[in-house]
Amino acid sequence: MSDAAPTTPTDDPGYLAAVTDLLGVLAYGELRAFSQLARDAELAPTLRHSAALARLAAHELRNYEVLSDRLAALGVTPEEAMEPFVPAVDFFHERTKPSDWLEGVVKAYVGDGIAQDFYREIAQYVDPDTQALVLGVLEDTGQADFAVTVVREAIAADPRVGGRLALWGRRLVGEAITQAQRVGVERDSLAGILVGAPGRPGADLAELGRMFARLTDEHTRRMERLGLSA
């Protein structure tokens, strides 16, 4: 994280707008994740799977509340902060509608995981309090283990499933990185966290390239954990 970052968002109106954007896009992502996991729980093949997804959905809702509380403390309503990101996030979800329950599980782990990695990267350039909040919200609380167990069990039962889910995972990575780029480009204040602003140095072009390489590498590791080829 840059030593030039403000101590708090309220120190600088431009930085406040950037942090509002970061928390806003995260809040809407958590809200969408809650809705998707709740729907997936209804489609789960067993009560055990349904209960596990319901617990994960409840965690996403708690994360949304935490982000909403921080936005309110900054003098911003959650709706105001989330609104600019609705088109980009909704477009991603429209483009990546799962065709069945297993694809939904992979999407929640792989597709949402890429977006979360992107926001972790951005969090390296914000003040310590905001960084701690963002990293806490993005912390895995069992979703990875659940997805890995479910997908590997499905492949063991029918190896043909692996090929189909591998293709699905490759599609997700392209769509998710496109979404991350779109979010970063369309909101100047959010992009300013990464590339910097007067008094707040950010990442140079070389570092941005390495960042997207890290996103791709982490995607490959997730796919390997699932037993899928990237």
Side-chain angles (χ1 to χ4, degrees):
M1 187 181 69
S2 169
D3 292 336
T7 303
T8 66
T10 53
D11 291 344
D12 174 0
Y15 183 62
L16 173 60
V19 168
T20 296
D21 273 356
L22 177 58
L23 300 183
V25 69
L26 282 171
Y28 190 58
E30 294 293 329
L31 196 58
R32 283 298 306 250
F34 162 73
S35 299
Q36 185 63 56
L37 287 168
R39 285 193 293 268
D40 290 343
E42 294 179 353
L43 299 174
T46 70
L47 289 175
R48 175 172 64 89
H49 291 135
S50 180
L53 284 171
R55 284 191 291 271
L56 291 173
H59 179 74
E60 301 289 0
L61 188 58
R62 286 193 295 272
N63 283 341
Y64 168 77
E65 296 294 350
V66 168
L67 291 163
S68 295
D69 289 346
R70 177 61 64 89
L71 285 164
L74 294 175
V76 184
T77 67
E79 296 77 15
E80 179 185 357
M82 292 188 295
E83 188 62 37
F85 303 101
V86 170
V89 175
D90 283 358
F91 182 75
F92 167 73
H93 286 289
E94 286 297 318
R95 293 272 297 174
T96 56
K97 285 183 177 179
S99 63
D100 61 17
W101 183 72
L102 273 176
E103 286 190 1
V105 171
V106 172
K107 178 183 173 181
Y109 178 48
V110 172
D112 292 348
I114 294 168
Q116 291 168 353
D117 288 340
F118 177 62
Y119 300 129
R120 287 188 187 95
E121 293 281 353
I122 294 179
Q124 302 310 306
Y125 297 92
V126 298
D127 62 274
D129 286 346
T130 301
Q131 183 184 82
L133 174 68
V134 170
L135 296 181
V137 165
L138 296 177
E139 185 177 358
D140 178 48
T141 58
Q143 186 165 320
D145 289 340
F146 174 78
V148 169
T149 299
V150 165
V151 171
R152 285 188 172 271
E153 285 177 350
I155 294 172
D158 182 0
R160 293 172 300 179
V161 168
R164 175 171 66 84
L165 293 180
L167 289 174
W168 175 239
R170 293 181 200 127
R171 177 182 172 190
L172 288 169
V173 66
E175 296 287 353
I177 288 180
T178 297
Q179 181 207 20
Q181 292 172 328
R182 182 181 179 189
V183 166
V185 167
E186 290 185 353
R187 296 293 293 180
D188 290 343
S189 56
L190 188 58
I193 295 179
L194 274 177
V195 301
R200 287 191 287 109
D204 57 21
L205 287 176
E207 176 55 27
L208 290 175
R210 289 190 291 270
M211 180 193 75
F212 280 102
R214 289 193 294 271
L215 296 182
T216 302
D217 290 344
E218 189 57 37
H219 166 73
T220 299
R221 284 189 284 270
R222 283 194 179 94
M223 293 286 282
E224 289 174 348
R225 286 196 67 194
L226 293 172
L228 304 174
S229 61

